[in-house]
Amino acid sequence: MILVADDDPMIRFLAQQALENRSFEVELAENGGEALEKFEARTPDLMLCDVMMPIVDGFELCTLIRAMKQGEHIPIVMLTGLNDANSIEKAFSVGATDYCEKPMNWELLPYKLNYILRASTAFRDLQVSEERYSLVARGANDGLWDWDYKDDKVYLSPRWKSMLGYEEEDIGNDPLEWIGRIHRDDKSRVITELHAHKTAKTDLFESEYRIKNAENNYRWMMCRGLAVRDDDDVAYRMIGSQTDITDRKQAEEKLVFDAVHDALTGLPNRILFLDRLSHCIELSSRRENYNFAVLYLDLNRFKVINDSLGHLLGDKLLVEIGARIKQVIRKGDTLSRLGGDEFVILCEDTSDITMATNQAERIHKELLRPIDLEGQKVVVSCSIGITESSIGYKRPEDMLRDADTAMYRAKVRPSSRYEIFDSTMHEKAMSILRIESDLRQALEEGQFDVYYQPIVEISEETVSGFEALIRWNHPKLGVLIPDDFLEVAVESRLIVPIGRWVVTEACRQMQTWKEQWAEARDWTISVNLSAPELAQPDLISAINDILDKTGLDPIFLKLEITESSLIKNSSHALQTMNTLRTRGIHLSIDDFGTGHSSFSYLHQFPFDELKIDRTFISELDKRADKQQIVNAIVSLAHNLGMTVVAEGSASGAIYENLRGASCEYAQGFSIMEPKRAIQISRSIAFDVDRTDITGFNTD
Ligand code: C2E
Ligand code: CA
Ligand code: CA
């Protein structure tokens, strides 16, 4: 739209004719005032204005328009008299874009205006983009570049160079100075992206790449650019900026890294491991001879070490172990930490199983060297399970599971360094699952039973109480002992509800006996508590409920706890035990001597009674060293205010030895095997006067 301002109606008319013929839209104004109004109402693309006009002349009009926001960049063409050099000069000084001399060549006017319009648009675009970039550059501390395609030179601003650690004179204006420094892996992409914008396939050149700096390090840059094009839309220049985004890139890379790595050791985590494993599975399905193996590694007794060292050193230990394993495995293999003290190794391209077993041997050897943890020397052994691709896995999880199963097998065989998975292990694992579901059913259907084994007072040879021992009346397999199912019950935590049932049943039975028989008046009932039971937050309230419900006085209840369950939750256990103690409940340390017993550790816990494991008691009559150990344990226990029960006492000679060591109580098959409650009741009923132990052996 062209605004024509002239007081000469003839000129207005001719201008309108000439321009409308060339598809311009035309607005007319008779004087400067009207022109100003029209300009304000609707900004034209160009204004043609006479110098001499009434009210407001051309120069003044031009000045006023240039002062307006929307008038800043609109091309203004002044109509001057022929050779009127003064007017021409004045016109430019007030901001006119160009001038036309009267008399006008109406034929050529549209072409001239077209040219002015296009030039001004290009100029304005450039100005806008330059402004934009100088702003952005100032704000973001960018480097600027200006690539001139005509002579293929690139201007790189001082900031551009200093961002890479160069002085102004270090870098010339050959485009290779820039492109040549871009990282090999990014270069061709950047060139493609530059070309795409140059050939107008994209609206903006935008690219992220690494570029080498003066110190030969790569920095990440974000680069943006805009092409300047000629009338035929051919780019003859591209101008842009370059921002250092290394920090952001590193943060992004760290996020990606963290998502698939273990934070403590920096090793690949389960996600990454499973990903690599599934790649291998895929590869082996395509390639005939491609074999691989998975090693599943679990540290032995790590929990104990971790608890005694403290978690900080425990963490250090894990890091060191990770580093050691890494040293001995092959370069391309993946070592991953699954969590806790479990590591897995993916051995790729194994020709046969010995490659995997050799790795296992090397790891064992490497771990034999003590690890120095701030002065403390620690040796950690591990159990390794191995499984091979030849089994024909379809899913990575299955392979991991089987390696884990083999690892468990290695763990329960102290002599074995590693175990290779075979299908019988799978069956074993399946049978564990079966036991678990059977246990659930047993709990629902009341298939459990409590057996009672007397604990006798050695000096008087009288019964002082009973230990409750669980049995499972399995519908198909008959009576099962704890060895057959307890591990699964503990692992699956089903021991918690099962144990509750045992405590309830044992307390109820003992209370019944007390109500029925006078000799039962002082009897105690001992019940075993496993680690998960001890760790239950509601243990205290559950025991209270049971005592309330059965009416048993808490002083007749003894809870037997093994050392290993204390280690598994020592601080919480201590609290729980103290509370139980204040209720009047007695506490026994069970299987003493089989763990890592130390009296210094033991005295922190409020035990009333110590049960010496039967391994110390058997052969007591034959081996002098055992006698000494038992003597020592008994006297130390007495010093700590505990009474002592000897487990598994057999022959009469042993009995005498125990008496000699002033051990108070004994419990064992030779005295009586565990029996059903009904059998115990019957014995008492048949022989009401006799409270000595022989009375119970009449089945
Ligand atoms: P424990 O606490 O050491 O219990 C004593 C075990 O030794 C019992 O085995 C008992 O039958 C056996 N025993 C007693 N005298 C002799 C002997 O002279 N010679 C030999 N060789 N063995 C003898 P049982 O009943 O098979 O129980 C095994 C373990 O299962 C128990 O060891 C205890 O740790 C656990 N357990 C048993 N019942 C329960 C229960 O209700 N809850 C929990 N959490 N654990 C239980
Ligand atoms: Ca026990
Ligand atoms: Ca025991």
Side-chain angles (χ1 to χ4, degrees), residues 453 467 470-471 482 502 528 533 590-591 614 647-648 668-669 674:
Q453 188 179 32
E467 177 172 0
I470 190 169
R471 295 294 179 266
V502 173
N528 296 285
E533 292 172 84
D590 205 353
D591 299 349
R614 67 169 170 271
E647 290 192 290
F669 287 173

Side-chain angles (χ1 to χ4, degrees), residues 58-72:
F59 301 123
E60 213 181 330
L61 179 62
C62 196
T63 312
L64 288 168
I65 280 172
R66 284 293 180 241
M68 286 158 56
K69 183 80 204 130
Q70 72 266 41
E72 231 175 319

